[in-house]
């Protein structure tokens, strides 16, 4: 079966080549080389944290007519959750400059400019 797939592929390639020169019939409208820069887009933010603590705190406020003194337990739980999330985010950013296993666009552009691609086609 794999040999048949190879034969089909060779047939498709031979149909795409011109009969006279053996050059490709289809011509790309741009050069087939990679650029030396990456689009400067903003990185996505991470997932939301402490959503349950915040919803419990707001439900307590609504139940107690927005009095902070009656919802002190919920406020402290929400604040501790936020502090833990900020500390975790800070340690994660300190450990690596990568976000989600990807380079920041500015870092990728500097690396691509340091090692540029060949502009000529092979």
């Amino acid at each position: 079966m794999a040999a048949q797939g190879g034969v089909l592929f060779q047939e498709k390639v031979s149909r795409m080549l011109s009969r006279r020169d053996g050059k490709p019939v289809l011509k790309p409208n741009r050069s087939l080389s990679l650029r030396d820069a990456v689009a400067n887009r903003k990185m996505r933010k991470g997932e939301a944290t402490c959503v349950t603590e915040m919803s419990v705190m707001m439900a307590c406020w609504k139940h107690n007519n927005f009095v902070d003194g009656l919802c002190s337990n919920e406020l402290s739980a929400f604040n501790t959750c936020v502090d833990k999330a900020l500390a975790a985010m800070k340690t994660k950013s300190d450990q690596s400059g990568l976000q989600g296993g990807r380079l920041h666009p500015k870092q990728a552009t500097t690396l691509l400019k340091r090692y540029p691609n060949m502009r000529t086609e092979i």
Side-chain angles (χ1 to χ4, degrees), residues 26 31 36-38 50 57 69 108 113 117:
L26 303 174
S31 67
D36 292 331
V38 177
C50 306
M57 179 185 68
K113 285 187 179 186
N117 290 315

Side-chain angles (χ1 to χ4, degrees), residues 13-47:
V13 169
S14 65
R15 275 183 274 162
M16 290 176 65
L17 295 175
S18 69
R19 305 273 186 232
R20 191 175 46 159
D21 300 328
K23 292 183 180 177
V25 175
L26 303 174
K27 294 182 181 178
N29 56 0
R30 295 182 188 166
S31 67
L32 297 176
S33 62
L34 296 176
R35 293 183 2 202
D36 292 331
V38 177
N40 195 9
R41 296 183 179 147
K42 292 183 179 178
M43 300 292 283
R44 290 185 184 167
K45 297 289 183 185
E47 61 187 42

Side-chain angles (χ1 to χ4, degrees), residues 59-120:
C60 180
W61 276 346
K62 187 174 183 179
H63 183 71
N64 292 318
N65 212 9
F66 299 98
V67 178
D68 285 340
L70 299 174
C71 299
S72 61
N73 291 338
E74 289 81 0
L75 275 168
S76 63
F78 176 68
N79 287 331
T80 55
C81 181
V82 168
D83 291 338
K84 286 180 185 178
L86 288 174
M89 192 183 325
K90 186 174 181 182
T91 58
K92 187 177 178 182
S93 67
D94 287 343
Q95 286 176 354
S96 66
L98 301 176
Q99 188 176 23
R102 294 183 172 192
L103 285 173
H104 193 273
K106 287 184 180 179
Q107 293 172 335
T109 300
T110 56
L111 285 174
L112 286 171
K113 285 187 179 186
R114 188 179 303 165
Y115 305 106
N117 290 315
M118 296 186 324
R119 291 289 179 187
T120 59

